[in-house]
Amino acid sequence: MTDTASRTDSTTVAPVPRQSAAPAPSVPPVATPAYVYDMATVRSAHARLRSWLPEPSELYYSLKANPHPDVVSALYDLGCRAEVSSPGELAAALEARVPAHDILYTGPGKRDEDLDEALKAGVREFAVDSEHGVGQLDRAAARHDAHVTYLLRVNPGGGSRGAGLRMTGDPSAFGADAEDIAAHPERYTGGENARIAGLHLYLATNIADEQALGDSFSEAIAVARTLREALGVPLRTIDLGGGFGAPYARAGELPAYPGLAERLAGELDEALPGWRRNEPTVAFESGRYLTATCGQLLTRVLDVKNSHGQRVVVLDAGINHLGGMAGLRRVPPLHPDVVRPDGNPAEPAGTGTDGPDDAAEAPGPAMICGPLCTPLDTWARSHPLPAVAPGDLLAVPNTGAYGLHASLVLFLGHPAPLEVVTDGGRVLRSDRLTFVRRDGAA
Ligand SMILES: *Cc1c(COP(=O)(O)O)cnc(C)c1O
């Protein structure tokens, strides 16, 4: 959250209007649209991810996937540190009572004000992406009379798999080129107030295939080994990044990586002996694996009609609440499953047949639209959907990561959806973000 966004408590949870079918027990009776995040599912996703990781290792939760304070504090309680990359994510981590010393502040472009704010809050671990970033952090730390450490983010480029570094990779805002670090290590080891303490590699995202994910970590390990020698200074942390996959707005399970821990442990024994004693500490990062499955977006049907032979269903949630970034290819293309809230897409309509105004009898595929005044607000042109009628409750599964916070909430001025926190079905909290215009000088 920025300081122009705040969370409004809404203790009265509206009853479900016109809900003639009993909702599944996992669906609390809430007003829609609503994101529901279940903490029991966060805990099981965390346990599952930990079981794939070599021990000992640290795990950072990347707030980018879902900065809801209750999600963040659940993951902190489970032992995750917080990886933040903006003032809003920093505020969310602090609101979740993550101690500043457990926060890693990353990002390829940081304003001096951002660093000042983080330093003032007590953050002492950063990631930097360039020679300039090293100097900027050193000067900021000096302003605060602080001594900080940083992980140097590395852009290994492509073609660096295996021994040595062949730099044929892509230009990127992220990280300093491995080749340049190896050639000029003194530029990257820090100054009086900010010293290098490790390397930060983040080479992949959303890889369900164990072999491919393992290969990406192998590359990270090889690069870390080479640069550790080139830098010639003690490195406390080797952050190997992430890449763990998760279903996105579709039914499905978290991928399994049963052989990953053993494979990586063997490679780490070779490349970074001492890692079993935390010399260096090996770290991983995840956003989506930890949170994707905890969330579902509940939405109600606002209208159903036939338009030139096509069934058109208009929902109370659209690209303003889910998938706005899919068009930017920042997240995978959105092909959401819109299902009955119990997760069963095949269930015949239990509602919607009780009124004379019901428009849809034939459950053919439907065009699924949101409420926004733009034809862009279409989740699907032709999606299987049982017969539905205005007022029916539907759900998009696995939207706990890159859901609300990767969407276009300001576009067209609808209120933000409710965010409801549950634990095994029990509602713990229900509120929504609001956006307030403030004096820019304040
Ligand atoms: C986005 C990001 C993550 C989280 O990615 P997921 O695919 O959600 O796990 C982790 N680390 C860094 C540096 C990132 O930018």
Side-chain angles (χ1 to χ4, degrees), residues 118-391:
L119 286 158
K120 212 152 80 186
V123 175
R124 292 293 179 266
E125 189 183 32
F126 296 80
V128 302
D129 290 68
S130 68
E131 193 182 343
H132 170 77
V134 171
Q136 183 197 22
L137 179 61
D138 192 51
R139 291 188 295 278
R143 283 198 292 282
H144 293 260
D145 257 326
H147 290 271
V148 306
T149 59
Y150 60 85
L151 307 182
L152 176 60
R153 180 137 176 201
V154 181
N155 178 1
S160 58
R161 189 154 298 147
L165 298 171
R166 283 177 296 114
M167 298 313 302
T168 56
D170 296 324
S172 168
F174 296 104
D177 287 357
E179 189 184 48
D180 195 57
I181 299 168
H184 307 287
E186 72 287 351
R187 294 178 185 170
Y188 294 101
T189 49
E192 275 290 296
N193 292 76
R195 297 295 304 168
I196 190 170
L199 296 172
H200 183 206
L201 290 121
Y202 185 77
L203 308 188
T205 183
N206 205 9
I207 302 183
D209 179 67
E210 177 170 3
Q211 177 74 36
L213 182 64
D215 289 350
S216 138
F217 284 128
S218 299
E219 180 180 357
I221 291 169
V223 172
R225 173 191 207 160
T226 306
L227 291 184
R228 194 171 178 235
E229 283 157 18
L231 283 159
V233 294
L235 296 181
R236 190 185 63 215
T237 303
I238 302 295
D239 183 341
L240 295 173
F244 309 97
Y248 179 57
R250 316 225 29 172
E253 306 237 313
L254 291 170
Y257 307 103
L260 187 68
E262 202 181 316
R263 169 178 172 172
L264 296 186
E267 294 179 16
L268 288 166
D269 284 340
E270 278 276 306
L272 302 169
W275 75 277
R276 288 180 191 270
R277 300 184 308 276
N278 280 311
E279 296 168 10
T281 292
V282 170
F284 296 90
E285 300 173 350
S286 176
R288 75 185 67 230
Y289 198 97
L290 293 168
T291 55
T293 52
C294 84
Q296 55 178 326
L297 173 57
L298 300 182
T299 175
R300 273 201 177 74
V301 176
L302 295 179
D303 201 352
V304 180
K305 62 188 166 192
N306 282 290
S307 173
H308 294 288
Q310 164 85 57
R311 182 164 58 127
V312 175
V313 174
V314 181
L315 306 177
D316 65 7
I319 58 167
N320 53 335
H321 295 158
L322 175 70
M325 283 175 72
L328 302 177
R329 286 177 290 158
R330 184 58 196 85
V331 292
L334 188 77
H335 305 290
D337 277 338
V338 180
V339 299
R340 294 288 181 190
D342 64 0
N344 181 3
E347 179 198 298
T351 63
T353 53
D354 53 347
D357 57 338
D358 289 327
E361 299 111 25
M367 182 169 170
I368 300 184
C369 303
L372 302 190
C373 242
T374 163
L376 294 174
D377 193 10
T378 304
W379 278 348
R381 308 227 150 251
S382 181
H383 191 283
L385 196 71
V388 292

Side-chain angles (χ1 to χ4, degrees), residues 105 109-119 126 132-133 135-137 139-141 143-144:
Y105 200 113
K110 305 178 193 80
R111 302 179 308 158
D112 288 344
E113 302 92 296
D114 302 340
L115 290 176
D116 285 335
E117 199 177 317
L119 286 158
F126 296 80
H132 170 77
Q136 183 197 22
L137 179 61
R139 291 188 295 278
R143 283 198 292 282
H144 293 260

Side-chain angles (χ1 to χ4, degrees), residues 34-52:
Y35 274 94
V36 182
Y37 309 129
D38 185 55
M39 297 299 111
T41 312
V42 172
R43 291 192 295 273
S44 64
H46 174 268
R48 195 167 156 87
L49 180 53
R50 279 262 44 135
S51 77
W52 314 134

